[in-house]
């Protein structure tokens, strides 16, 4: 990738393009990014179907943002480690595993947030439509 030599507002807009290219690359090359994105879309559809209040949307969007950001950082760390340490090295493994651990922690938070947000709406739906049919 060429160094960003634009000046002023052009440099500003170029930074958005480079960021979009990085997100696109992670989405194309990383299975977990596709999975996280797909689950995020399903969660947002469910939030719309259940007509969740704004505070619940905010919590879901925060969880989604954290997971996708952690996945992007994990991808960047893995690519950097592969570049500087093409051979297997114990510290390279530690760096990659630690970055993956950060994704895991944010994904667990997202699951807990999802349970918190969807528990009562789903239980109400079950009581209304499943039990009385």
């Amino acid at each position: 990738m060429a160094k960003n030599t634009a000046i002023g507002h052009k440099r500003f807009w170029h930074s958005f393009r480079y960021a979009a290219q990085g997100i696109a690359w992670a989405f194309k090359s990383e299975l977990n990014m596709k999975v996280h994105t797909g689950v995020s879309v399903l969660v947002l559809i469910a939030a719309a179907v259940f007509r969740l209040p704004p505070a619940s949307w905010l919590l879901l969007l925060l969880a989604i943002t954290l997971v996708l950001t952690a996945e992007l950082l994990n991808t960047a760390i893995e690519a950097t480690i592969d570049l500087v340490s093409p051979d297997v090295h114990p510290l390279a493994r530690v760096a990659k595993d630690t970055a993956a651990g950060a994704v895991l922690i944010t994904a667990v938070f997202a699951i807990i947030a999802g349970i918190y947000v969807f528990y009562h709406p789903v239980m109400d739906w079950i009581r209304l439509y499943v039990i009385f049919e």
Side-chain angles (χ1 to χ4, degrees):
M1 179 183 305
K3 185 173 169 105
N4 187 355
T5 58
I7 57 172
H9 71 281
K10 284 185 180 182
R11 182 178 192 138
F12 177 76
W13 292 112
H14 284 193
S15 66
F16 280 99
R17 184 177 54 184
Y18 295 139
Q21 288 172 347
I23 293 168
W25 188 88
F27 186 80
K28 284 188 242 175
S29 65
E30 297 294 323
L31 174 62
N32 286 343
M33 189 67 172
K34 292 175 188 169
V35 170
H36 293 310
T37 302
V39 170
S40 297
V41 169
L42 293 176
V43 165
L44 294 176
I45 290 169
V49 168
F50 283 106
R51 296 182 178 167
L52 295 180
S56 294
W57 277 88
L58 186 61
L59 181 58
L60 292 174
L61 290 171
L62 172 64
I64 289 167
T65 300
L66 288 173
V67 170
L68 295 179
T69 300
E71 189 61 51
L72 288 168
L73 290 171
N74 181 49
T75 300
I77 289 167
E78 286 185 351
T80 303
I81 295 300
D82 289 344
L83 177 67
V84 299
S85 181
D87 298 327
V88 177
H89 190 281
L91 291 177
R93 182 185 58 77
V94 168
K96 287 182 170 190
D97 290 352
T98 304
V103 177
L104 178 61
I105 288 171
T106 57
V108 169
F109 167 75
I111 291 167
I112 292 168
I115 291 169
Y116 175 80
V117 166
F118 283 108
Y119 180 78
H120 289 293
V122 168
M123 294 308 291
D124 292 344
W125 179 83
I126 289 171
R127 277 189 225 104
L128 186 63
Y129 292 106
V130 175
I131 295 176
F132 294 111
E133 286 195 2

